[in-house]
Amino acid sequence: MRDGDGDRILVSGASGFIAKHIVLNLLQAGHRVRGTVRDTAKGEALRQTMVQYGAPVDRLSIVAADLTRDEGWEEAAAGCRAVVHTASPFPVAQPGDKFGLVPAARDGTIRVCRAAARQGVRRVVLTSSVASVMYGHPPRTTAFGEADFSNVDSDLISPYAVSKTLAEKSAWETLAQTQTELVTINPSLVFGPLLDGVAGTSARIVAMMMNGRVPALPNVRFGIVDVRDVADAHVRAIDNPEAAGRRFLVSADTVPLREITQILARAYPAYRRRLYSWPLPDWAVRTAARVSRRAAMLAGELGTARRLDTAPAQDILSIRFRSVETAAVDLAASLIRFGLVTPPSGDR
């Protein structure tokens, strides 16, 4: 058990999906945690969630700080030996402007990193994404790894991927000439159980499937990882001396979206009818791509199965990934538990 102010760890965006698992993990391990939120009401909700899981909330403090403002970040980082920066925009609907998400993601990351360096924080662990690694490149057979960055100049890269790429690059640049070490955790699409009834973007995607709101699915594949493994990776990266200066891709497997619906239909047969989606023909996506930039980005993903090098996460951080099936089924169970999926009785 650790104790004392010297062990305090700052978690930015502490009310987020991944962040809540990180906070719970840290508290249960005996650390002191300071969490930032934009709205103090979210901080009180976070405290109540931690209580439900038996975490020692006397070790949790909440402060208000906004990624779009300078105020509060120096005070938030003061007295912390590490910062886990999770806060970043991830909307379901992508903005039309390719750089529309950059100001909050990049500038907020710079604010957090500068505050950490000025306060003498030993290490920043940044929640990045595989979106900052593998997009905007032509197809290739070799795996994408920590040396790769997405090409933000490509016409086929999403605003989210642009924001994550530029935010991560800014973190490396900001901390390069300081004594503060940087580690990034780059997860694929994050599934796994919700801790409360607040659903993030990835959870809402599955909720839409289970509520019968996804009538057709294109032939695209996504990497999937369990949120519990993502949280473990962050926590283990805080103190591991071999992790300094490394980027860790975390993903259990890359699967077609249709496989997710099939996994859920097997686990929850009462929802099978809702989970059925027509295969969206490749030609339809490519036809739409002629007039829609968003469809063009989707067309670039058709049939693509990018490989990810997760060996560093397994070898250095000792992460043993839960299966895609476990991540999807446990996410669905929590969606049902918290009432985010309507009962299927009317579909029978």
Side-chain angles (χ1 to χ4, degrees):
M1 175 82 62
R2 301 176 183 270
D3 205 352
D5 286 354
D7 186 53
R8 180 170 285 122
I9 296 174
L10 178 68
V11 179
S12 73
S15 62
F17 176 39
I18 295 172
K20 276 182 278 201
H21 279 269
I22 294 171
V23 170
L24 179 61
N25 190 318
L26 289 169
L27 290 174
Q28 289 178 334
H31 298 276
R32 293 182 181 276
V33 178
R34 180 182 292 153
T36 74
V37 293
R38 284 181 300 172
D39 181 351
T40 53
K42 289 185 176 181
E44 182 55 33
L46 171 65
R47 191 180 301 276
Q48 294 304 313
T49 296
M50 295 299 110
V51 167
Q52 292 174 21
Y53 292 89
V57 292
D58 60 312
R59 292 177 171 269
L60 173 64
S61 59
I62 304 294
V63 297
D66 191 318
L67 290 178
T68 64
R69 301 174 63 87
D70 292 333
E71 293 80 11
W73 290 108
E74 294 270 351
E75 295 80 1
C80 295
R81 69 180 183 88
V83 171
V84 180
H85 178 43
T86 74
S88 186
F90 183 14
V92 173
Q94 298 282 297
D97 179 2
K98 186 168 76 170
F99 297 96
L101 298 176
V102 170
R106 181 193 60 199
D107 298 350
T109 296
I110 292 172
R111 288 186 174 95
V112 172
C113 289
R114 285 177 176 170
R118 287 171 183 159
Q119 291 299 321
V121 172
R122 182 180 61 81
R123 181 173 291 182
V124 171
V125 179
L126 171 68
T127 308
S128 188
S129 170
V130 297
S132 73
V133 174
M134 63 183 190
Y135 289 103
H137 298 290
R140 72 190 215 189
T141 57
T142 56
F144 287 88
E146 64 178 311
D148 295 301
F149 276 95
S150 292
N151 175 18
V152 299
D153 295 324
S154 170
D155 291 333
L156 302 179
I157 187 171
S158 72
Y160 174 70
V162 170
S163 73
K164 295 302 288 188
T165 304
L166 295 181
E168 188 189 332
K169 283 187 171 182
S170 295
W172 288 111
E173 293 167 1
T174 301
L175 295 179
Q177 304 302 319
T178 74
Q179 297 301 308
T180 300
E181 299 169 341
L182 178 61
V183 182
T184 71
I185 306 299
N186 300 65
S188 55
L189 189 61
V190 183
F191 285 1
L194 302 174
L195 292 180
D196 53 30
V198 180
T201 298
S202 57
R204 290 199 294 272
I205 292 171
V206 175
M208 289 171 63
M209 290 178 173
M210 297 188 72
N211 282 320
R213 296 176 184 168
V214 183
L217 285 173
N219 178 30
V220 294
R221 296 169 176 261
F222 287 100
I224 307 291
V225 65
D226 193 292
V227 66
R228 292 163 291 194
D229 298 330
V230 178
D232 282 346
H234 282 80
V235 173
R236 295 181 186 193
I238 291 172
D239 289 315
N240 190 317
E242 295 182 65
R246 301 294 297 268
R247 303 170 75 209
F248 294 97
L249 280 61
V250 289
S251 185
D253 199 2
T254 300
V255 300
L257 276 178
R258 179 164 298 281
E259 186 170 325
I260 300 300
T261 62
Q262 293 168 348
I263 287 171
L264 296 176
R266 289 194 299 269
Y268 301 98
Y271 292 87
R272 185 182 302 275
R273 180 178 173 185
R274 291 187 189 177
L275 286 163
Y276 180 80
S277 297
W278 292 98
L280 188 62
D282 290 358
W283 64 262
V285 178
R286 292 193 174 100
T287 299
R290 298 173 184 171
V291 295
S292 167
R293 181 172 169 271
R294 292 173 181 169
M297 288 187 287
L298 185 60
E301 299 299 306
L302 292 174
T304 301
R306 293 184 176 89
R307 293 171 51 215
L308 300 171
D309 180 9
T310 62
Q314 297 178 70
D315 296 341
I316 297 174
L317 301 181
S318 300
I319 301 298
R320 299 295 176 261
F321 294 108
R322 293 169 172 84
S323 68
V324 169
E325 182 170 2
T326 295
V329 169
D330 288 357
L331 170 55
S334 66
L335 290 170
I336 295 169
R337 173 188 172 193
F338 292 116
L340 298 174
V341 172
T342 56
S345 57
D347 293 338
R348 293 175 181 170

